[in-house]
Amino acid sequence: MTHVRLKPRVPQGASTHLADGVVIETQDGGELVTFTFTNLDVTTVDHAIEALGDLMRRWDEAGRPLRVLLDLRQPDLILTPYARERAAAFTRVRPRLRGRIALLAQPGTSIAHRIDRVLRSELYHYRERSLFFDREQALAWLRETPEQRPLS
């Protein structure tokens, strides 16, 4: 199977429409990246995974910790089986890359409950992940310096 790059790298500008359903915003001089989703269709998920993979590769090669906010607050977002499968597979990419991933959702929504369940149930030792309901709290957590753990 041939791999086709869907979009070029994560842009270094302030805010870029990556694909229908997802906008990427860089902050703090490119040290923090936000993916804001308005849908989780197959094409949206594929573009986001491609861009996130490129971002992780570049940060891993540069020895920088990952700092990503996944904004899933859109009220009608549905976490499809396809999005869950792609996200689960993607969590195992670049295990030596440390950092933090903040997941932002509306409290009481089905997507927030699913994220909470996944975060509690999965054994995961690579990057810190946390669910937030407030954007400023999520950004503050991402900007903190995480504890450096040795690579295993």
Side-chain angles (χ1 to χ4, degrees), residues 9-141:
R9 325 164 63 169
V10 172
Q12 295 300 316
S15 181
T16 301
H17 183 251
L18 178 67
D20 186 38
V22 63
V23 172
I24 297 177
E25 177 185 4
T26 58
Q27 300 175 45
D28 300 354
E31 294 293 318
L32 193 151
V33 178
T34 299
F35 288 73
T36 302
F37 293 90
T38 57
N39 71 58
L40 293 173
D41 295 340
V42 170
T43 303
T44 302
V45 170
D46 287 345
H47 283 294
I49 292 287
E50 180 79 17
L52 190 53
D54 181 64
L55 178 77
M56 290 174 70
R57 178 191 54 77
R58 287 187 289 129
W59 283 4
D60 190 17
E61 290 170 357
R64 295 169 48 194
L66 186 68
R67 303 248 195 271
V68 172
L69 172 63
L70 301 177
D71 186 341
L72 302 161
R73 291 180 296 170
Q74 184 74 24
D76 55 349
L77 273 184
I78 297 171
L79 191 57
T80 64
Y82 181 77
R84 282 194 309 268
E85 289 172 18
R86 289 293 312 266
F90 197 72
T91 61
R92 294 180 288 281
V93 171
R94 297 203 175 265
R96 71 182 199 148
L97 176 61
R98 298 298 183 230
R100 290 182 167 183
I101 299 175
L103 298 120
L104 184 60
Q106 292 288 342
T109 60
S110 66
I111 202 162
H113 290 296
R114 287 183 186 265
I115 291 168
D116 185 54
R117 246 190 328 216
V118 167
L119 293 179
R120 289 178 196 245
S121 66
E122 274 189 23
L123 274 176
Y124 185 80
H125 305 287
Y126 307 136
R127 291 165 285 281
E128 294 180 71
R129 305 175 302 172
S130 192
L131 174 61
F132 292 89
F133 302 115
D134 179 83
R135 182 180 172 88
E136 293 310 312
Q137 287 179 347
L139 291 172
W141 180 75

